[in-house]
Amino acid sequence: MDRRLFIRAMLASGVSLASLGYIQPGDAVASGAGGVKPARLRVGDTVRLVAPAGVIYEKVRIDIALESLTALGLKPTLGNHVYDRHGYFAGRDADRAADINAAFADPSVKAVFALSGGWGAARTLPYLDFDLIKENPKVIIGYSDITALLNAIYAKTGLTTFHGPNATTRWTDFNVQSFQDMVMKGTTPELVNPQVRDNSLAVRTNRIQTINAGTAEGALVGGNLTVLTALAGTPYLPDFKGKILFLEDVGEAIYRVDRMLSTLELAGVFKKVTGIVFGGFTKVGNDGAGFGSFALMDIFEQYGKQHGKPCFYGAMFGHVENARTIPIGGTARIDADKGSIHLLVPAVR
């Protein structure tokens, strides 16, 4: 068998290159992986709920989050400041960060769940103890504004983080299955949208639109477009070289999506990555621009096509009802023709 095919087969089966003698533990493989994997979650594990961003005005949302994680077979506990209020934040910046640091420092806690997004996770970054986090790797998961926290931790420590449901998210059967496969079972799924016609002659929902055909491999980085671009020029943004970039957003005008993608283009991001995946871009419209303006797909094509990288739109992650859990730092292969994301190695150990 060809050496490259042999290595790919071993990766797909979950065998590490280090165990085969091709690399030493801690070395970076060609796809851009080589970071730190957290231990997988198991039924009965204690987990910590923190509020890195917006205030939770309705306490019943926290009650529902506790019930949801209990239903997953976990034992949820709360950070000391989740009920705090400071303006539109769930407490002061240093206090919200202290809850995150405490969760990583506590050996009984096996995972950290963000309660919700909003705005504010980026303001906790100067207060985080990244050395502590690196020395105590564990699952951390959330999405939307939590994109700042997930990418900063990955950039600073190499720890694989998870763009997935916040604790207050509506945990549908689809979301639960994706979370369990990725974080609890440690499988290497090929993420392909279910194609259901819904009493229609053609598939209308969860359609894949290929922008550039082809396949690409690399470590996954990204999340919410607005939040990710807000980290530009800071030390908390990951190195995009050799990575697969995945992006989603909600409630933005098309011209603002254009502006943010322009920021990534000017920063050289699209030139560095091996491929691009656009997920849910919900409630995105023209914001009164009127006749002759660009459609969202026009913008995706303008940025997605210019470097010839495999690129597609329509993957199921982000602000959508049924959303995948995506590992930031996880090694994957994308197929822009199929619209698939295939994990090559487990994201947890």
Side-chain angles (χ1 to χ4, degrees):
M1 181 184 291
D2 178 83
R3 180 176 180 272
R4 285 177 57 84
L5 293 177
F6 172 72
I7 292 174
R8 288 184 180 182
M10 292 300 98
L11 286 171
S13 68
V15 176
S16 70
L17 292 181
S19 68
L20 297 174
Y22 286 98
I23 61 173
Q24 297 301 313
D27 288 349
V29 297
S31 64
V36 181
K37 293 182 183 180
R40 71 187 64 195
L41 272 185
R42 304 181 187 279
V43 171
D45 279 349
T46 296
V47 300
R48 181 68 48 82
L49 278 59
V50 298
V55 64
I56 310 293
Y57 288 106
E58 298 176 337
K59 292 183 178 180
V60 68
R61 294 181 63 204
I62 297 178
D63 294 338
I64 293 172
L66 291 169
E67 291 175 17
S68 296
L69 295 190
T70 300
L72 282 170
L74 304 172
K75 296 178 180 178
T77 59
L78 296 176
N80 291 332
H81 298 282
V82 297
Y83 291 112
D84 288 2
R85 294 188 183 185
H86 178 64
Y88 38 71
F89 300 125
R92 298 184 180 275
D93 298 342
D95 290 337
R96 302 197 312 278
D99 276 1
I100 299 168
N101 289 333
F104 276 94
D106 188 339
S108 71
V109 173
K110 304 305 180 184
V112 185
F113 285 76
L115 276 162
S116 71
W119 157 243
R123 291 178 51 146
T124 69
L125 301 183
Y127 301 96
L128 294 182
D129 187 338
F130 290 104
D131 290 335
L132 169 71
I133 293 171
K134 187 173 184 178
E135 292 167 3
N136 299 276
K138 57 190 68 176
V139 168
I140 180 167
I141 185 169
Y143 82 112
S144 195
D145 188 65
I146 311 304
T147 292
L149 182 62
L150 302 177
N151 282 275
I153 289 176
Y154 173 63
K156 287 290 191 179
T157 71
L159 175 64
T160 297
T161 60
F162 295 88
H163 183 276
N166 292 321
T168 55
T169 297
R170 181 172 180 265
W171 289 77
T172 66
D173 291 343
F174 184 96
N175 299 342
V176 168
Q177 186 65 58
S178 179
F179 168 80
Q180 290 176 328
D181 286 346
M182 198 70 64
V183 179
M184 301 184 78
K185 297 177 182 177
T187 61
T188 54
E190 183 174 20
L191 309 180
V192 183
N193 291 3
Q195 298 294 285
V196 181
R197 290 191 295 110
D198 294 326
N199 196 32
S200 175
L201 291 176
V203 174
R204 303 177 66 88
T205 58
N206 301 324
R207 285 187 66 95
I208 292 298
Q209 298 180 64
T210 300
I211 297 170
N212 276 340
T215 63
E217 295 182 13
L220 294 156
V221 294
N224 183 265
L225 173 62
T226 299
V227 178
L228 192 72
T229 53
L231 293 177
T234 75
Y236 303 109
L237 202 61
D239 179 5
F240 291 97
K241 185 176 181 179
K243 306 297 197 303
I244 295 170
L245 178 64
F246 70 96
L247 298 168
E248 60 87 20
D249 220 318
V250 61
E252 293 292 344
I254 292 174
Y255 82 89
R256 291 200 292 270
V257 172
D258 182 2
R259 182 175 62 204
M260 290 181 284
L261 292 177
S262 176
T263 296
L264 297 181
E265 171 60 27
L266 293 172
V269 170
F270 295 133
K271 186 177 181 180
K272 294 177 182 178
V273 300
T274 62
I276 307 162
V277 180
F278 294 109
F281 276 73
T282 49
K283 300 179 182 178
V284 172
N286 279 320
D287 200 22
F291 179 77
S293 62
F294 291 119
L296 180 62
M297 191 61 176
D298 293 330
I299 300 300
F300 288 161
E301 289 180 340
Q302 289 168 18
Y303 291 99
K305 282 182 176 294
Q306 58 185 319
H307 296 292
K309 311 291 178 68
C311 178
F312 67 94
Y313 169 42
M316 296 171 66
F317 61 84
H319 292 75
V320 293
E321 182 178 16
N322 293 318
R324 308 275 191 187
T325 295
I326 308 289
I328 294 175
T331 309
R333 178 189 302 119
I334 63 168
D335 185 325
D337 300 88
K338 293 172 59 178
S340 67
I341 305 172
H342 188 188
L343 268 291
L344 298 181
V345 294
V348 291
R349 52 184 168 83

PDB file of all heavy atoms in Angstrom, residues 225 240 245 247 260-276 278 303-304 306-309:
ATOM      1  N   LEU A 225     -18.388  34.149  12.931  1.00  0.00           N
ATOM      2  CA  LEU A 225     -17.605  35.068  12.114  1.00  0.00           C
ATOM      3  C   LEU A 225     -17.382  36.410  12.802  1.00  0.00           C
ATOM      4  O   LEU A 225     -16.260  36.935  12.826  1.00  0.00           O
ATOM      5  CB  LEU A 225     -18.312  35.276  10.767  1.00  0.00           C
ATOM      6  CG  LEU A 225     -17.718  36.330   9.834  1.00  0.00           C
ATOM      7  CD1 LEU A 225     -16.297  35.971   9.427  1.00  0.00           C
ATOM      8  CD2 LEU A 225     -18.618  36.502   8.603  1.00  0.00           C
ATOM      9  N   PHE A 240      -3.655  30.167  11.256  1.00  0.00           N
ATOM     10  CA  PHE A 240      -4.551  29.556  10.271  1.00  0.00           C
ATOM     11  C   PHE A 240      -3.820  28.712   9.234  1.00  0.00           C
ATOM     12  O   PHE A 240      -4.469  28.058   8.412  1.00  0.00           O
ATOM     13  CB  PHE A 240      -5.352  30.649   9.552  1.00  0.00           C
ATOM     14  CG  PHE A 240      -6.362  31.329  10.437  1.00  0.00           C
ATOM     15  CD1 PHE A 240      -6.067  32.532  11.051  1.00  0.00           C
ATOM     16  CD2 PHE A 240      -7.602  30.759  10.650  1.00  0.00           C
ATOM     17  CE1 PHE A 240      -6.990  33.157  11.860  1.00  0.00           C
ATOM     18  CE2 PHE A 240      -8.543  31.380  11.463  1.00  0.00           C
ATOM     19  CZ  PHE A 240      -8.229  32.579  12.072  1.00  0.00           C
ATOM     20  N   LEU A 245     -11.021  26.279   7.861  1.00  0.00           N
ATOM     21  CA  LEU A 245     -11.766  27.345   8.532  1.00  0.00           C
ATOM     22  C   LEU A 245     -13.260  27.078   8.423  1.00  0.00           C
ATOM     23  O   LEU A 245     -13.784  26.862   7.328  1.00  0.00           O
ATOM     24  CB  LEU A 245     -11.431  28.688   7.879  1.00  0.00           C
ATOM     25  CG  LEU A 245     -12.169  29.919   8.416  1.00  0.00           C
ATOM     26  CD1 LEU A 245     -11.799  30.189   9.873  1.00  0.00           C
ATOM     27  CD2 LEU A 245     -11.860  31.141   7.546  1.00  0.00           C
ATOM     28  N   LEU A 247     -17.115  28.673   9.559  1.00  0.00           N
ATOM     29  CA  LEU A 247     -17.705  29.944   9.959  1.00  0.00           C
ATOM     30  C   LEU A 247     -19.226  29.864   9.984  1.00  0.00           C
ATOM     31  O   LEU A 247     -19.842  29.172   9.167  1.00  0.00           O
ATOM     32  CB  LEU A 247     -17.292  31.054   8.986  1.00  0.00           C
ATOM     33  CG  LEU A 247     -15.793  31.377   8.883  1.00  0.00           C
ATOM     34  CD1 LEU A 247     -15.530  32.282   7.687  1.00  0.00           C
ATOM     35  CD2 LEU A 247     -15.290  32.013  10.173  1.00  0.00           C
ATOM     36  N   MET A 260     -16.615  41.610   7.197  1.00  0.00           N
ATOM     37  CA  MET A 260     -15.842  40.719   8.065  1.00  0.00           C
ATOM     38  C   MET A 260     -15.021  39.716   7.256  1.00  0.00           C
ATOM     39  O   MET A 260     -13.873  39.418   7.609  1.00  0.00           O
ATOM     40  CB  MET A 260     -16.779  40.022   9.050  1.00  0.00           C
ATOM     41  CG  MET A 260     -17.343  40.990  10.085  1.00  0.00           C
ATOM     42  SD  MET A 260     -18.435  40.227  11.299  1.00  0.00           S
ATOM     43  CE  MET A 260     -19.942  39.977  10.369  1.00  0.00           C
ATOM     44  N   LEU A 261     -15.588  39.190   6.178  1.00  0.00           N
ATOM     45  CA  LEU A 261     -14.807  38.301   5.322  1.00  0.00           C
ATOM     46  C   LEU A 261     -13.657  39.066   4.666  1.00  0.00           C
ATOM     47  O   LEU A 261     -12.573  38.518   4.450  1.00  0.00           O
ATOM     48  CB  LEU A 261     -15.706  37.666   4.266  1.00  0.00           C
ATOM     49  CG  LEU A 261     -16.754  36.671   4.783  1.00  0.00           C
ATOM     50  CD1 LEU A 261     -17.623  36.159   3.642  1.00  0.00           C
ATOM     51  CD2 LEU A 261     -16.101  35.507   5.517  1.00  0.00           C
ATOM     52  N   SER A 262     -13.891  40.340   4.368  1.00  0.00           N
ATOM     53  CA  SER A 262     -12.815  41.177   3.836  1.00  0.00           C
ATOM     54  C   SER A 262     -11.681  41.313   4.844  1.00  0.00           C
ATOM     55  O   SER A 262     -10.495  41.292   4.466  1.00  0.00           O
ATOM     56  CB  SER A 262     -13.362  42.559   3.470  1.00  0.00           C
ATOM     57  OG  SER A 262     -12.330  43.418   3.032  1.00  0.00           O
ATOM     58  N   THR A 263     -12.015  41.441   6.122  1.00  0.00           N
ATOM     59  CA  THR A 263     -10.986  41.505   7.161  1.00  0.00           C
ATOM     60  C   THR A 263     -10.128  40.248   7.148  1.00  0.00           C
ATOM     61  O   THR A 263      -8.894  40.313   7.218  1.00  0.00           O
ATOM     62  CB  THR A 263     -11.629  41.677   8.549  1.00  0.00           C
ATOM     63  OG1 THR A 263     -12.308  42.933   8.589  1.00  0.00           O
ATOM     64  CG2 THR A 263     -10.582  41.628   9.662  1.00  0.00           C
ATOM     65  N   LEU A 264     -10.772  39.081   7.045  1.00  0.00           N
ATOM     66  CA  LEU A 264     -10.021  37.824   7.005  1.00  0.00           C
ATOM     67  C   LEU A 264      -9.166  37.734   5.743  1.00  0.00           C
ATOM     68  O   LEU A 264      -8.028  37.250   5.786  1.00  0.00           O
ATOM     69  CB  LEU A 264     -10.983  36.637   7.083  1.00  0.00           C
ATOM     70  CG  LEU A 264     -11.804  36.509   8.370  1.00  0.00           C
ATOM     71  CD1 LEU A 264     -12.693  35.268   8.324  1.00  0.00           C
ATOM     72  CD2 LEU A 264     -10.910  36.457   9.599  1.00  0.00           C
ATOM     73  N   GLU A 265      -9.711  38.200   4.625  1.00  0.00           N
ATOM     74  CA  GLU A 265      -8.940  38.193   3.378  1.00  0.00           C
ATOM     75  C   GLU A 265      -7.716  39.103   3.486  1.00  0.00           C
ATOM     76  O   GLU A 265      -6.601  38.717   3.118  1.00  0.00           O
ATOM     77  CB  GLU A 265      -9.836  38.631   2.215  1.00  0.00           C
ATOM     78  CG  GLU A 265      -9.107  38.872   0.902  1.00  0.00           C
ATOM     79  CD  GLU A 265      -8.392  37.651   0.374  1.00  0.00           C
ATOM     80  OE1 GLU A 265      -8.821  36.520   0.673  1.00  0.00           O
ATOM     81  OE2 GLU A 265      -7.388  37.812  -0.350  1.00  0.00           O
ATOM     82  N   LEU A 266      -7.893  40.318   4.007  1.00  0.00           N
ATOM     83  CA  LEU A 266      -6.777  41.256   4.136  1.00  0.00           C
ATOM     84  C   LEU A 266      -5.722  40.756   5.117  1.00  0.00           C
ATOM     85  O   LEU A 266      -4.538  41.095   4.993  1.00  0.00           O
ATOM     86  CB  LEU A 266      -7.305  42.623   4.576  1.00  0.00           C
ATOM     87  CG  LEU A 266      -8.185  43.358   3.558  1.00  0.00           C
ATOM     88  CD1 LEU A 266      -8.805  44.597   4.190  1.00  0.00           C
ATOM     89  CD2 LEU A 266      -7.397  43.718   2.308  1.00  0.00           C
ATOM     90  N   ALA A 267      -6.158  39.938   6.082  1.00  0.00           N
ATOM     91  CA  ALA A 267      -5.219  39.366   7.053  1.00  0.00           C
ATOM     92  C   ALA A 267      -4.508  38.127   6.506  1.00  0.00           C
ATOM     93  O   ALA A 267      -3.678  37.536   7.196  1.00  0.00           O
ATOM     94  CB  ALA A 267      -5.952  39.006   8.343  1.00  0.00           C
ATOM     95  N   GLY A 268      -4.854  37.721   5.292  1.00  0.00           N
ATOM     96  CA  GLY A 268      -4.204  36.576   4.672  1.00  0.00           C
ATOM     97  C   GLY A 268      -4.741  35.230   5.093  1.00  0.00           C
ATOM     98  O   GLY A 268      -4.143  34.190   4.784  1.00  0.00           O
ATOM     99  N   VAL A 269      -5.892  35.223   5.777  1.00  0.00           N
ATOM    100  CA  VAL A 269      -6.427  33.971   6.313  1.00  0.00           C
ATOM    101  C   VAL A 269      -6.822  32.997   5.203  1.00  0.00           C
ATOM    102  O   VAL A 269      -6.473  31.813   5.241  1.00  0.00           O
ATOM    103  CB  VAL A 269      -7.629  34.250   7.240  1.00  0.00           C
ATOM    104  CG1 VAL A 269      -8.343  32.949   7.619  1.00  0.00           C
ATOM    105  CG2 VAL A 269      -7.174  34.990   8.490  1.00  0.00           C
ATOM    106  N   PHE A 270      -7.535  33.488   4.191  1.00  0.00           N
ATOM    107  CA  PHE A 270      -8.017  32.585   3.143  1.00  0.00           C
ATOM    108  C   PHE A 270      -6.878  32.025   2.312  1.00  0.00           C
ATOM    109  O   PHE A 270      -6.998  30.953   1.719  1.00  0.00           O
ATOM    110  CB  PHE A 270      -9.032  33.296   2.247  1.00  0.00           C
ATOM    111  CG  PHE A 270     -10.295  33.689   2.968  1.00  0.00           C
ATOM    112  CD1 PHE A 270     -10.825  34.965   2.833  1.00  0.00           C
ATOM    113  CD2 PHE A 270     -10.948  32.790   3.785  1.00  0.00           C
ATOM    114  CE1 PHE A 270     -11.983  35.328   3.485  1.00  0.00           C
ATOM    115  CE2 PHE A 270     -12.111  33.135   4.458  1.00  0.00           C
ATOM    116  CZ  PHE A 270     -12.630  34.411   4.308  1.00  0.00           C
ATOM    117  N   LYS A 271      -5.786  32.725   2.271  1.00  0.00           N
ATOM    118  CA  LYS A 271      -4.610  32.227   1.559  1.00  0.00           C
ATOM    119  C   LYS A 271      -3.928  31.115   2.353  1.00  0.00           C
ATOM    120  O   LYS A 271      -3.334  30.197   1.787  1.00  0.00           O
ATOM    121  CB  LYS A 271      -3.632  33.376   1.308  1.00  0.00           C
ATOM    122  CG  LYS A 271      -2.433  33.000   0.453  1.00  0.00           C
ATOM    123  CD  LYS A 271      -1.555  34.213   0.180  1.00  0.00           C
ATOM    124  CE  LYS A 271      -0.361  33.854  -0.695  1.00  0.00           C
ATOM    125  NZ  LYS A 271       0.490  35.036  -0.972  1.00  0.00           N
ATOM    126  N   LYS A 272      -4.019  31.190   3.679  1.00  0.00           N
ATOM    127  CA  LYS A 272      -3.314  30.233   4.537  1.00  0.00           C
ATOM    128  C   LYS A 272      -4.062  28.916   4.719  1.00  0.00           C
ATOM    129  O   LYS A 272      -3.450  27.862   4.868  1.00  0.00           O
ATOM    130  CB  LYS A 272      -3.082  30.859   5.916  1.00  0.00           C
ATOM    131  CG  LYS A 272      -2.139  32.045   5.918  1.00  0.00           C
ATOM    132  CD  LYS A 272      -2.036  32.642   7.321  1.00  0.00           C
ATOM    133  CE  LYS A 272      -1.135  33.862   7.345  1.00  0.00           C
ATOM    134  NZ  LYS A 272      -1.081  34.477   8.699  1.00  0.00           N
ATOM    135  N   VAL A 273      -5.398  28.971   4.740  1.00  0.00           N
ATOM    136  CA  VAL A 273      -6.165  27.767   5.064  1.00  0.00           C
ATOM    137  C   VAL A 273      -6.184  26.802   3.892  1.00  0.00           C
ATOM    138  O   VAL A 273      -5.923  27.172   2.740  1.00  0.00           O
ATOM    139  CB  VAL A 273      -7.612  28.114   5.482  1.00  0.00           C
ATOM    140  CG1 VAL A 273      -7.607  29.004   6.712  1.00  0.00           C
ATOM    141  CG2 VAL A 273      -8.387  28.773   4.334  1.00  0.00           C
ATOM    142  N   THR A 274      -6.502  25.535   4.182  1.00  0.00           N
ATOM    143  CA  THR A 274      -6.602  24.524   3.128  1.00  0.00           C
ATOM    144  C   THR A 274      -8.015  24.416   2.570  1.00  0.00           C
ATOM    145  O   THR A 274      -8.215  23.920   1.463  1.00  0.00           O
ATOM    146  CB  THR A 274      -6.183  23.142   3.651  1.00  0.00           C
ATOM    147  OG1 THR A 274      -7.071  22.744   4.713  1.00  0.00           O
ATOM    148  CG2 THR A 274      -4.754  23.182   4.184  1.00  0.00           C
ATOM    149  N   GLY A 275      -9.017  24.851   3.357  1.00  0.00           N
ATOM    150  CA  GLY A 275     -10.397  24.774   2.918  1.00  0.00           C
ATOM    151  C   GLY A 275     -11.290  25.625   3.801  1.00  0.00           C
ATOM    152  O   GLY A 275     -10.886  26.052   4.891  1.00  0.00           O
ATOM    153  N   ILE A 276     -12.522  25.879   3.324  1.00  0.00           N
ATOM    154  CA  ILE A 276     -13.464  26.752   4.029  1.00  0.00           C
ATOM    155  C   ILE A 276     -14.833  26.092   4.049  1.00  0.00           C
ATOM    156  O   ILE A 276     -15.307  25.586   3.026  1.00  0.00           O
ATOM    157  CB  ILE A 276     -13.580  28.123   3.334  1.00  0.00           C
ATOM    158  CG1 ILE A 276     -12.203  28.769   3.135  1.00  0.00           C
ATOM    159  CG2 ILE A 276     -14.490  29.057   4.128  1.00  0.00           C
ATOM    160  CD1 ILE A 276     -12.197  29.878   2.098  1.00  0.00           C
ATOM    161  N   PHE A 278     -18.766  27.053   5.263  1.00  0.00           N
ATOM    162  CA  PHE A 278     -19.750  27.986   5.782  1.00  0.00           C
ATOM    163  C   PHE A 278     -20.929  27.183   6.333  1.00  0.00           C
ATOM    164  O   PHE A 278     -21.505  26.347   5.627  1.00  0.00           O
ATOM    165  CB  PHE A 278     -20.244  28.938   4.691  1.00  0.00           C
ATOM    166  CG  PHE A 278     -19.192  29.884   4.166  1.00  0.00           C
ATOM    167  CD1 PHE A 278     -18.671  29.719   2.891  1.00  0.00           C
ATOM    168  CD2 PHE A 278     -18.734  30.929   4.947  1.00  0.00           C
ATOM    169  CE1 PHE A 278     -17.710  30.591   2.398  1.00  0.00           C
ATOM    170  CE2 PHE A 278     -17.773  31.806   4.477  1.00  0.00           C
ATOM    171  CZ  PHE A 278     -17.256  31.638   3.203  1.00  0.00           C
ATOM    172  N   TYR A 303     -15.319  35.484  -1.993  1.00  0.00           N
ATOM    173  CA  TYR A 303     -14.178  35.197  -1.127  1.00  0.00           C
ATOM    174  C   TYR A 303     -13.751  33.731  -1.215  1.00  0.00           C
ATOM    175  O   TYR A 303     -12.567  33.420  -1.078  1.00  0.00           O
ATOM    176  CB  TYR A 303     -14.502  35.563   0.325  1.00  0.00           C
ATOM    177  CG  TYR A 303     -14.612  37.057   0.512  1.00  0.00           C
ATOM    178  CD1 TYR A 303     -15.861  37.679   0.540  1.00  0.00           C
ATOM    179  CD2 TYR A 303     -13.484  37.852   0.634  1.00  0.00           C
ATOM    180  CE1 TYR A 303     -15.969  39.050   0.687  1.00  0.00           C
ATOM    181  CE2 TYR A 303     -13.582  39.224   0.787  1.00  0.00           C
ATOM    182  CZ  TYR A 303     -14.829  39.817   0.809  1.00  0.00           C
ATOM    183  OH  TYR A 303     -14.929  41.182   0.948  1.00  0.00           O
ATOM    184  N   GLY A 304     -14.719  32.845  -1.449  1.00  0.00           N
ATOM    185  CA  GLY A 304     -14.403  31.423  -1.459  1.00  0.00           C
ATOM    186  C   GLY A 304     -13.689  30.952  -2.706  1.00  0.00           C
ATOM    187  O   GLY A 304     -12.914  29.997  -2.666  1.00  0.00           O
ATOM    188  N   GLN A 306     -11.620  32.833  -4.827  1.00  0.00           N
ATOM    189  CA  GLN A 306     -10.432  33.503  -5.343  1.00  0.00           C
ATOM    190  C   GLN A 306      -9.124  32.761  -5.106  1.00  0.00           C
ATOM    191  O   GLN A 306      -8.158  32.948  -5.850  1.00  0.00           O
ATOM    192  CB  GLN A 306     -10.345  34.926  -4.787  1.00  0.00           C
ATOM    193  CG  GLN A 306     -10.306  35.053  -3.292  1.00  0.00           C
ATOM    194  CD  GLN A 306     -10.345  36.526  -2.873  1.00  0.00           C
ATOM    195  OE1 GLN A 306      -9.709  37.369  -3.473  1.00  0.00           O
ATOM    196  NE2 GLN A 306     -11.116  36.828  -1.835  1.00  0.00           N
ATOM    197  N   HIS A 307      -9.057  31.906  -4.080  1.00  0.00           N
ATOM    198  CA  HIS A 307      -7.817  31.163  -3.838  1.00  0.00           C
ATOM    199  C   HIS A 307      -7.914  29.698  -4.264  1.00  0.00           C
ATOM    200  O   HIS A 307      -6.962  28.940  -4.094  1.00  0.00           O
ATOM    201  CB  HIS A 307      -7.429  31.258  -2.363  1.00  0.00           C
ATOM    202  CG  HIS A 307      -7.115  32.649  -1.922  1.00  0.00           C
ATOM    203  ND1 HIS A 307      -6.007  33.328  -2.380  1.00  0.00           N
ATOM    204  CD2 HIS A 307      -7.774  33.499  -1.089  1.00  0.00           C
ATOM    205  CE1 HIS A 307      -5.991  34.552  -1.836  1.00  0.00           C
ATOM    206  NE2 HIS A 307      -7.047  34.667  -1.064  1.00  0.00           N
ATOM    207  N   GLY A 308      -9.083  29.313  -4.785  1.00  0.00           N
ATOM    208  CA  GLY A 308      -9.228  27.969  -5.323  1.00  0.00           C
ATOM    209  C   GLY A 308      -9.282  26.861  -4.293  1.00  0.00           C
ATOM    210  O   GLY A 308      -9.129  25.686  -4.636  1.00  0.00           O
ATOM    211  N   LYS A 309      -9.505  27.196  -3.026  1.00  0.00           N
ATOM    212  CA  LYS A 309      -9.544  26.164  -1.977  1.00  0.00           C
ATOM    213  C   LYS A 309     -10.921  25.490  -1.957  1.00  0.00           C
ATOM    214  O   LYS A 309     -11.940  26.133  -2.221  1.00  0.00           O
ATOM    215  CB  LYS A 309      -9.276  26.799  -0.607  1.00  0.00           C
ATOM    216  CG  LYS A 309      -8.047  27.713  -0.543  1.00  0.00           C
ATOM    217  CD  LYS A 309      -6.772  26.935  -0.673  1.00  0.00           C
ATOM    218  CE  LYS A 309      -5.545  27.845  -0.662  1.00  0.00           C
ATOM    219  NZ  LYS A 309      -5.304  28.486   0.637  1.00  0.00           N
TER     220      LYS A 309
END
